[in-house]
């Protein structure tokens, strides 16, 4: 075990070089031509570094996802990463890759290109040190996570069902690099209100205002928020109407919904789906869903975290802590299918923000933690 930690420390520079390469491949989720390029690069790197195999998983509207496999065995462990970022092409010109005071800055460093580097080096370390596992390791590298994983979700679920453990390389949380053992479920709903238009000055009584109706619905939707239970219903976008002197025919709202428990999900979702108009001349249509269910801290997750905590303490001198987050990740899909641990990626700050960075000296440590977990659960 100690050998793994020492080996990774010696090759810290190689890890940083690869991180720089990955950051220089700009890869916004909405640009399949660009995510395809980083995918090709990573595919070759994986084969070079580990001698493993890479399978392409087709996506109908984004670029191919990668399923990289190392080792042999009927059973498997799953590592989840994503290649895409939220940063548009050209971001590098204003936010170039740089290292200052031991921190690597640049688009996607923290979320989650350092995580990909750590996963690749964890597997390479097992190979270089001739450590044999009884299970194969499946490393998923997807290209649409930042969009809610619309086309990679089914692949992830399929692999999670076959896995004895799932390790998600999303960034850790806070200065201490906490792992994430609970996440909110996330959903989007669209509310379309259709009323009856008429001249606001001549025939006001003949109209039924979609805007007025939507306003009342917004107040109701907001009242579904229950901060104590971790539920938020946020009407984040609205539009409607055509002219100031026309009683509005249409109005539309987009609602972000987050829930901490399945119980709250089951309370709030039907209330949103069954909105009833106050005015019988008005129609309301609701579409949408909770696309990532809540990740609740199960006994399996607790056991996995306790194991990671003791490995980190014994071999890395890290006092690992766990935290809850309101953001969703692919761990939300897998937690009910296999023991899942999330936040195993980079230590740093600024996901989706201009000061995005990861702490370089933590990269070999976190990579070692993943390697130790793979050994622990791979036997
Ligand atoms: Zn991420």
């Amino acid at each position: 075990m100690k050998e793994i930690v020492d080996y990774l420390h010696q090759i810290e520079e190689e890890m940083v070089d690869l991180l720089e390469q990955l950051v220089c491949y700009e890869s916004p989720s909405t640009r399949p031509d660009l995510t395809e390029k980083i995918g090709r690069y990573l595919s070759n790197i994986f084969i070079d570094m580990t001698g493993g195999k890479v399978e392409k998983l087709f996506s109908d509207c984004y670029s191919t996802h990668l399923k990289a496999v190392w080792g042999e065995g009927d059973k498997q462990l799953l590592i989840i990463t994503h290649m895409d970022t939220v940063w548009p092409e050209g971001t590098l010109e204003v936010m170039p890759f740089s290292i200052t005071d031991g921190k690597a800055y640049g688009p996607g460093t923290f979320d989650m290109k350092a995580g990909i580097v750590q996963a690749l080096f964890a597997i390479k370390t097992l190979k270089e040190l001739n450590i044999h596992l009884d299970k194969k390791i499946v490393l998923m590298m997807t290209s649409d996570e930042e969009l809610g994983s619309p086309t990679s979700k089914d692949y992830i679920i399929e692999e999670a069902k076959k896995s004895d453990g799932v390790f998600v390389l999303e960034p850790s949380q806070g200065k201490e690099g906490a792992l994430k053992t609970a996440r909110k479920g996330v959903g989007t709903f669209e509310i379309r209100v259709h009323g009856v238009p008429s001249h606001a000055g001549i025939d006001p009584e003949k109209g039924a205002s979609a805007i007025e109706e939507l306003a009342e619905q917004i107040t109701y939707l907001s009242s579904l928020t229950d901060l104590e239970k971790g539920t938020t219903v946020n009407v984040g976008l609205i539009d409607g109407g055509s002219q100031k002197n026309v009683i509005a025919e249409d109005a539309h709202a987009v609602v972000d919904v987050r829930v901490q428990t399945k119980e709250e999900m089951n309370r709030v979702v039907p209330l949103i789906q069954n909105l009833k108009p106050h005015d019988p001349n008005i129609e309301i249509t609701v579409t949408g869903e909770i696309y990532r269910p809540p990740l609740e801290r199960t006994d399996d997750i607790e056991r996995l975290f306790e194991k990671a905590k003791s490995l980190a303490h014994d071999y890395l001198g890290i006092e690992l802590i766990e935290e809850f987050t309101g953001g969703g990740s692919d761990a939300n899909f897998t937690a009910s299918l296999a023991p899942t641990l999330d936040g195993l990626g980079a230590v740093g700050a600024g996901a989706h923000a201009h000061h995005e960075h990861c702490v370089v000296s933590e990269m070999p440590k976190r990579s070692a933690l993943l390697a130790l977990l793979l050994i622990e659960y791979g036997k």
Side-chain angles (χ1 to χ4, degrees):
M1 296 286 203
K2 180 80 171 46
E3 212 185 336
I4 290 173
V5 179
D6 294 342
Y7 176 79
L8 278 157
H9 274 294
Q10 285 160 21
I11 56 172
E12 182 181 298
E13 221 165 287
E14 275 180 55
M15 298 182 83
V16 177
D17 288 345
L18 180 56
L19 176 62
E20 180 170 6
Q21 292 299 320
L22 296 186
V23 172
C24 289
Y25 277 95
E26 292 187 288
S27 52
S29 329
T30 49
R31 287 285 304 276
D33 55 326
L34 296 178
T35 45
E36 197 76 43
K37 274 188 195 159
I38 192 173
R40 271 202 295 277
Y41 178 73
L42 275 167
S43 194
N44 291 333
I45 285 282
F46 179 81
I47 294 165
D48 278 357
M49 283 175 76
T50 71
K53 285 182 277 212
V54 179
E55 190 185 324
K56 286 182 168 182
L57 305 174
F58 176 74
S59 152
D60 52 6
C61 45
Y62 301 105
S63 77
T64 358
H65 312 295
L66 303 176
K67 175 186 167 182
V69 182
W70 183 77
E72 305 280 333
D74 296 335
K75 295 184 169 181
Q76 69 179 42
L77 298 173
L78 180 62
I79 304 172
I80 299 178
T81 66
H82 63 83
M83 306 179 281
D84 59 316
T85 74
V86 294
W87 299 103
E89 188 184 27
T91 302
L92 271 179
E93 283 163 37
V94 286
M95 239 176 101
F97 181 84
S98 70
I99 296 183
T100 315
D101 297 332
K103 294 171 182 164
Y105 289 83
T109 43
F110 184 51
D111 187 8
M112 63 170 343
K113 288 177 174 173
I116 299 178
V117 173
Q118 290 167 206
L120 290 170
F121 275 87
I123 300 171
K124 178 187 160 89
T125 303
L126 300 181
K127 180 191 171 245
E128 294 296 327
L129 300 180
N130 289 315
I131 297 168
H132 172 81
L133 303 183
D134 296 332
K135 296 173 188 172
K136 62 176 179 257
I137 294 172
V138 175
L139 167 64
M140 295 284 285
M141 295 182 268
T142 64
S143 63
D144 64 357
E145 195 276 345
E146 296 291 0
L147 303 171
S149 308
T151 69
S152 56
K153 177 179 173 175
D154 289 346
Y155 293 120
I156 288 166
I157 289 172
E158 192 185 321
E159 292 304 326
K161 281 182 185 161
K162 295 186 274 184
S163 299
D164 291 342
V166 180
F167 306 101
V168 183
L169 277 279
E170 286 292 344
S172 63
Q173 188 153 294
K175 276 204 173 65
E176 288 156 313
L179 302 194
K180 295 164 178 176
T181 51
R183 280 182 180 272
K184 282 189 181 180
V186 191
T188 308
F189 292 86
E190 290 205 38
I191 319 285
R192 285 173 208 284
V193 183
H194 187 71
V196 182
S198 73
H199 193 297
I202 302 168
D203 292 319
E205 71 289 347
K206 289 189 181 149
S209 168
I211 288 181
E212 251 182 70
E213 179 65 45
L214 181 60
E216 289 195 54
Q217 298 295 343
I218 290 171
T219 312
Y220 172 68
L221 287 165
S222 302
S223 78
L224 300 177
T225 290
D226 185 335
L227 294 178
E228 247 162 56
K229 290 188 174 144
T231 302
T232 54
V233 179
N234 180 55
V235 182
L237 291 169
I238 55 165
D239 60 76
S242 56
Q243 295 291 336
K244 80 174 179 68
N245 60 353
V246 177
I247 293 192
E249 184 174 12
D250 291 293
H252 164 244
V254 185
V255 189
D256 178 275
V257 178
R258 289 173 195 245
V259 286
Q260 205 166 312
T261 59
K262 291 206 177 72
E263 195 184 336
E264 275 295 280
M265 180 167 90
N266 295 337
R267 174 182 76 91
V268 165
V269 171
L271 293 175
I272 297 172
Q273 284 169 334
N274 296 314
L275 290 180
K276 294 276 174 289
H278 297 78
D279 181 330
N281 296 315
I282 285 183
E283 269 172 45
I284 296 180
T285 324
V286 181
T287 53
E289 59 176 349
I290 298 282
Y291 55 87
R292 279 183 176 140
L295 187 169
E296 295 185 69
R297 188 181 184 280
T298 58
D299 293 347
D300 272 349
I301 291 175
E302 185 183 339
R303 269 194 294 277
L304 198 45
F305 173 72
E306 289 303 329
K307 179 48 80 182
K309 191 176 164 181
S310 70
L311 290 170
H313 172 86
D314 294 351
Y315 298 103
L316 296 159
I318 297 174
E319 298 309 320
L320 210 54
I321 55 170
E322 60 177 320
E323 278 179 13
F324 163 82
T325 170
S329 86
D330 289 330
N332 293 57
F333 302 134
T334 66
S336 59
L337 305 170
T340 297
L341 200 52
D342 192 4
L344 284 163
V347 178
H352 305 189
H354 286 284
H355 65 292
E356 172 164 11
H357 65 267
C358 68
V359 179
V360 171
S361 61
E362 292 288 333
M363 289 177 66
K365 291 185 201 168
R366 297 288 162 147
S367 183
L369 177 60
L370 177 62
L372 298 178
L373 282 165
L374 293 172
I375 294 170
E376 190 69 33
Y377 288 91
K379 299 238 162 179

